[in-house]
Amino acid sequence: MSETVSRRSALRLTAGAVAVAAAATGGLVPLTPAAAADRPEAGAGPRVERLLARLTLDEKISLLHGADDPDSLGQAGYVPGVPRLNIPPLRLADGPAGVRITAHATALPAPVLLASAFDPELARRYGQVIGREGRALGQDVLLSPMVNLIRTPYAGRNFETFSEDPLLASDLVAAEIRGIQGEGLIATVKHFALNNQERDRNTIDVHAGEQTMHELELRGFEAAVDAGTGAVMGSYNRVNSTFACENTTLLTDILRDQWGFAGWVMTDWFAAHSTVAAITAGLDMEMPDGTYFGTALKSAVRNGSVPERYVDRAVRRILSVMDRFGLLDGSAPPRPGRDAAAGAAVALEVAKAGATLLRNEHGALPLDGGSIAVIGPTGSLPFVSGGGSAHVVPDHADSPLDAIKARNRGPVAYALGEDLFGKALPADALSPGFTSEGQQVGAGKQWAYDGTLTVAENDEWTFVLQFSSAPTARPKVLLDGEELFPLAAGYGEYFSGGLVATAPDGLGVRRRTLRLARGAHTVKITADGGDSGLLFRLRRITGVTRAQDVAGAVAAARAARHVVLFAYEDATEGLDRTTVALPGHQEQLIRAVTAANPRTTVVLNTSSCTSMPWLAGTGAVLQMYYPGQEGAAATAAVLFGDSDPGGRLTQSFPADDDHHPVAGDPRRYPGVDGVEEYSEGIHAGYRWYDARGVRPLFPFGHGLSYTSFAYSDARARWTHGGLEVVFTVRNTGRRTGIAVPQVYVGPSPHLRVDQAVRVLGGYRRLELRAGERRRVTVRIAARTLSSWDARHHRWTLGTGRRTVWVGASSGDLRARTAAWVGDGGRA
């Protein structure tokens, strides 16, 4: 591997005189597609060139697109090899939080929870677990990590990525890739680029300026390239009017010529839109099939619209990575066995390290062992992961309720509070009656119902359909002639959440909420038993049943010394959120419970930021995101003080839907007439709050400990092309705890480009004993001190006197100093 890495580094200096000039200035001088195709490819050694010379055109093309796996392991993609030349196939598995196939794997905490630890070394070990398990489970390529920034709080995949800050995201993605690939699994950084929402993700045209792209959106991808990622996945969306998977500026000018990327670029699944434009722009592989890079590509080569050198270029890139990982000469290490215990240990460590305590009034936490009422559906059901390609089949997943019972010395009661899966329809509500709690339809049989539902009073009803079939074969239910559960378009049926889409006994779930008037309503149901039969249930949640559930929760809260209320928000690939508020009626539940018992801790199993109009009534709020298979044990450890909550927010939490960077401007999100404008520029996340003077609910970097810390005696000086910041951190409390001091730097007086009020320059994660004092050094790199000059297409160091702050968050800055950046001056 070291030989390939050195070749990749050499490319950045020897790719030709034009590229050398560009690299020297940090600029961008695009090559023509023909020139880009003709120049030597990094990492193409003699073995690759010999194979390339022997491959037929059909064999070459077979390596450039996905196909059906004759021996599928349930992975996302498969590329057949060329047995004649001993080129092995590639199996490609999803893996943001573990290896996603049909077999069991370690379900790690969501990447956003990993990121909350502010610990690149932990990210490397997280990657090691996935890398080892991927190889153990027969995989060759991991479709992860995701490094798109958290730009909008509504994005459905915020839990799959790291942060709103480009420095933190860059550090973590590089470390995780090193961990993954150190185990011999090829990593794929995604989604390149500007893929920051799920809504209209296949069609949205994202418009962003050069400075915004380079300073924010592309920085994590560049870090991934520097870390040696084997592959890059192109995104669905357009970037500045051209689809990302056929965008020459992204795929060749920036990725290859500016950054020196030597691996291959694949599409996201079904993200290809062309043959000629895509392959000439720099796309190498279409997934999961060959719509454009199969027969169509062969025809294009035959008719001359695609010179064969473009095919050779793409094949060379793929084979070069395979060669680098020992897949062509048999030098890859033997596939290891799974070490489930080691994976579980890392999963537990990450979940505890990322646990983020947002509020803790009057010592509500740690719990003192008195009687506890556990409330909420995710208190009894383990919430492991989000939905879509991040879902993993875990080895196990315990209930938080059981973990709390095992840890607490006093009695523990449970109340549902918020019903997710419905209650049986009253026997007298349906005429004629049928077995709504378990209707069986035999294999090859058809079943139909035509009857009446009688509603006792005007009310909001949520109908809950549970079924044993595939989502597209579920029963059809019509109420008053309207279909309650119509099939979602495209792949929407398979992106339905990681919790709410599956009943505790494994049945699929769909819901529909509407207001029903008192009286009779027609109900028609048809069901097909298919090849193996069908079981389904039809249930309901109404205002009456909700009131009963809340009353039970309030009674349990009043009877207990402490309450631990679990609240959820279930996110998934393919769908964006519509609000930062908790879904359903959870806000009313929290208000009712906290009114009954102010010693209430709310544990949030949510994908991203959450508004909290109920905050003032709580004793504590603990953010656990999606904590993976060891989430119950980690949550209990933090609640009882066995572990200090060491997490810090990697994204700002807005107060509500009206006060965040994309609020009130549909051109910023979700877009207007198919176009979305990143008009906030470089002022994303906490930078926007600072620039606008808006106070978030919780700032970037916020997180409490069970002890307290003081920051003092900050000094900064320019040395070796960066700023060296030194300061003292002291544990002023009475127990050992985790501090995450953060260093921020202000704008340069010499740059004539847009600059943020302050940006994260560096950070450290520290464990300090009670009373311990430590002198800490954080280095701010020249890249962080630079801005992208769009006029000259290059990075420019921000020289002059720069203010430096040290604090516990972007909103809690406790020490301040200044230093002169660049030679020839002083602060």
Side-chain angles (χ1 to χ4, degrees):
M1 289 189 186
S2 59
E3 179 187 357
T4 303
V5 170
S6 64
R7 280 199 300 264
R8 182 178 67 251
S9 299
L11 173 70
R12 305 185 80 158
L13 300 176
T14 62
V18 172
V20 169
T25 62
L28 177 60
V29 181
L31 299 175
T32 65
D38 287 338
R39 67 168 170 75
E41 284 296 311
R47 184 182 297 107
V48 170
E49 295 302 332
R50 287 194 299 268
L51 286 171
L52 190 59
R54 297 178 62 191
L55 286 165
T56 67
L57 178 61
D58 284 337
E59 288 169 339
K60 293 175 187 176
I61 289 175
S62 73
L63 295 171
L64 303 187
H65 64 82
D68 291 333
D69 186 350
D71 302 303
S72 178
L73 302 173
Q75 77 278 0
Y78 174 79
V79 177
V82 181
R84 179 179 70 86
L85 298 176
N86 296 316
I87 298 175
L90 293 174
R91 289 184 169 87
L92 303 86
D94 287 314
V99 182
R100 182 178 181 254
I101 61 174
T102 52
H104 288 270
T106 301
L108 292 159
V112 71
L113 183 55
L114 165 69
S116 300
F118 278 69
D119 188 347
E121 172 57 23
L122 187 58
R124 185 188 64 82
R125 291 195 286 117
Y126 182 99
Q128 282 183 312
V129 170
I130 301 176
R132 179 187 175 99
E133 292 206 345
R135 294 208 68 239
L137 294 168
Q139 303 303 303
D140 308 292
V141 182
L142 183 77
L143 304 173
S144 183
M146 176 179 171
V147 75
N148 300 103
L149 293 185
I150 298 175
R151 174 180 176 264
T152 167
Y154 306 121
R157 300 180 80 170
N158 280 348
F159 67 96
E160 289 188 55
T161 192
F162 300 115
S163 177
E164 69 186 26
D165 181 77
L167 172 66
L168 180 61
S170 297
D171 290 349
L172 297 173
V173 75
E176 185 180 342
I177 286 171
R178 292 186 181 103
I180 293 165
Q181 296 193 157
E183 299 297 315
L185 190 68
I186 299 168
T188 307
V189 67
K190 63 184 185 183
H191 309 85
F192 192 61
L194 283 71
N195 179 195
N196 300 111
Q197 66 190 62
E198 294 301 282
R199 183 167 172 178
D200 302 325
R201 69 177 182 174
N202 295 300
T203 58
I204 194 71
D205 182 7
V206 179
H207 288 196
E210 261 189 54
Q211 186 184 4
T212 300
M213 290 175 64
H214 283 274
E215 290 190 24
L216 296 183
E217 299 296 333
L218 300 183
R219 191 167 173 184
F221 292 97
E222 184 179 6
V225 170
D226 284 342
T229 187
V232 170
M233 181 187 289
S235 58
Y236 289 110
N237 51 286
R238 290 179 172 92
V239 176
N240 293 327
S241 301
T242 302
F243 279 111
C245 288
E246 54 189 52
N247 192 307
T248 303
T249 299
L250 286 176
L251 303 186
T252 294
D253 299 344
I254 294 174
L255 186 61
R256 303 284 179 184
D257 300 331
Q258 194 171 27
W259 298 346
F261 176 58
W264 87 84
V265 178
M266 71 181 78
T267 67
D268 205 335
W269 268 224
F270 302 104
H273 293 273
S274 65
T275 300
V276 178
I279 198 165
T280 56
L283 181 69
D284 304 308
M285 180 183 288
E286 177 189 6
M287 293 302 294
D289 60 20
T291 301
Y292 295 98
F293 274 26
T295 302
L297 179 56
K298 181 178 179 180
S299 298
V301 172
R302 293 297 191 211
N303 67 28
S305 56
V306 172
E308 192 168 348
R309 67 176 181 269
Y310 286 102
V311 174
D312 290 347
R313 179 180 72 175
V315 173
R316 182 180 290 112
R317 291 167 174 173
I318 296 165
L319 293 181
S320 294
V321 177
M322 294 178 69
D323 193 32
R324 173 184 160 195
F325 281 80
L327 299 178
L328 297 183
D329 64 352
S331 64
R335 292 191 183 273
R338 272 198 72 215
D339 189 341
V346 172
L348 177 61
E349 182 181 358
V350 171
K352 291 192 293 187
T356 306
L357 185 60
L358 301 179
R359 174 181 168 88
N360 194 19
E361 294 297 302
H362 309 300
L365 291 180
L367 299 175
D368 61 13
S371 61
I372 299 173
V374 175
I375 295 171
T378 48
S380 65
L381 295 173
F383 199 161
V384 175
S385 66
S389 59
H391 179 71
V392 177
V393 181
D395 287 310
H396 67 269
D398 296 332
S399 158
L401 175 62
D402 290 341
I404 290 171
K405 284 181 175 178
R407 178 60 180 77
N408 196 49
R409 296 190 300 271
V412 178
Y414 175 72
L416 179 62
E418 174 89 350
D419 192 356
L420 283 179
F421 301 108
K423 295 175 173 57
L425 291 166
D428 59 356
L430 287 169
S431 178
F434 75 94
T435 312
S436 63
E437 271 299 279
Q439 183 63 51
Q440 296 275 359
V441 183
K445 302 293 186 182
Q446 304 287 324
W447 184 89
Y449 173 82
D450 191 344
T452 300
L453 170 70
T454 301
V455 175
E457 58 186 59
N458 297 342
D459 200 355
E460 179 185 275
W461 278 56
T462 296
F463 289 91
V464 182
L465 178 68
Q466 303 180 16
F467 52 91
S468 62
S469 62
T472 53
R474 63 174 179 254
K476 184 175 183 179
V477 182
L478 280 76
L479 180 73
D480 295 331
E482 179 184 359
E483 189 170 353
L484 288 182
F485 312 103
L487 294 178
Y491 281 77
E493 282 299 327
Y494 299 93
F495 298 137
S496 52
L499 172 77
V500 300
T502 306
D505 61 358
L507 295 187
V509 177
R510 294 295 183 271
R511 296 170 184 76
R512 176 68 180 279
T513 300
L514 64 167
R515 292 204 65 83
L516 291 187
R518 178 177 180 274
H521 299 265
T522 63
V523 178
K524 297 181 184 294
I525 305 173
T526 55
D528 187 333
D531 294 334
S532 56
L534 168 69
L535 167 69
F536 76 90
R537 307 183 188 106
L538 185 62
R539 292 181 169 180
R540 99 294 190 196
I541 304 166
T542 68
V544 172
T545 66
R546 278 193 299 274
Q548 293 169 347
D549 288 335
V550 171
V554 167
R558 285 180 177 147
R561 172 169 171 76
H562 300 283
V563 176
V564 181
L565 192 158
F566 286 81
Y568 75 92
E569 176 261 317
D570 195 19
T572 180
E573 177 183 359
L575 293 174
D576 277 353
R577 305 162 74 190
T578 58
T579 176
V580 294
L582 291 170
H585 296 264
Q586 293 180 95
E587 289 190 353
Q588 294 93 314
L589 172 66
I590 294 171
R591 285 192 174 100
V593 168
T594 54
N597 188 335
R599 291 183 298 277
T600 295
T601 295
V602 176
V603 178
L604 293 169
N605 291 131
T606 57
S607 69
S608 189
C609 58
T610 304
S611 61
M612 304 178 197
W614 38 264
L615 180 66
T618 64
V621 178
L622 177 64
Q623 175 63 256
M624 292 298 297
Y625 297 105
Y626 302 154
Q629 69 179 45
E630 306 299 323
T635 302
V638 174
L639 289 173
F640 287 94
D642 304 331
S643 174
D644 196 53
R648 303 297 184 264
L649 292 181
T650 70
Q651 58 191 298
S652 309
F653 274 37
D656 52 43
D657 287 302
D658 297 323
H659 298 88
H660 57 73
V662 300
D665 188 347
R667 293 170 300 177
R668 288 188 182 176
Y669 176 85
V672 175
D673 297 328
V675 175
E676 183 176 42
E677 300 174 1
Y678 283 24
S679 57
E680 72 276 14
I682 63 163
H683 304 286
Y686 65 88
R687 304 177 182 200
W688 179 88
Y689 289 93
D690 287 343
R692 296 288 297 270
V694 175
R695 184 183 180 90
L697 178 65
F698 294 111
F700 173 89
H702 172 73
L704 305 176
S705 166
Y706 289 145
T707 186
S708 55
F709 300 94
Y711 301 80
S712 62
D713 195 19
R715 300 286 186 271
R717 66 189 182 102
W718 174 255
T719 175
H720 305 301
L723 275 182
E724 185 178 87
V725 183
V726 183
F727 54 92
T728 299
V729 183
R730 182 167 63 93
N731 183 339
T732 57
R734 293 182 291 179
R735 56 178 289 163
T736 298
I738 302 296
V740 184
Q742 299 148 46
V743 178
Y744 295 84
V745 60
S748 162
H750 295 163
L751 289 181
R752 297 297 177 259
V753 298
D754 197 15
Q755 298 180 75
V757 173
R758 64 183 62 88
V759 300
L760 181 68
Y763 51 88
R764 286 284 299 277
R765 180 183 177 89
L766 308 169
E767 181 177 82
L768 298 178
R769 299 183 305 275
E772 183 180 359
R773 179 194 307 265
R774 190 176 304 176
R775 196 70 173 156
V776 177
T777 300
V778 170
R779 184 173 175 80
I780 305 178
R783 172 60 64 86
T784 301
L785 297 166
S786 301
S787 293
W788 183 266
D789 184 345
R791 296 170 301 171
H792 299 98
H793 314 293
R794 67 186 182 191
W795 289 98
T796 301
L797 181 65
T799 56
R801 189 178 189 275
R802 308 284 294 265
T803 303
V804 177
W805 295 267
V806 178
S809 75
S810 65
D812 184 6
L813 305 172
R814 304 187 188 178
R816 177 173 173 170
T817 186
W820 187 274
V821 170
D823 297 327
R826 64 176 62 184

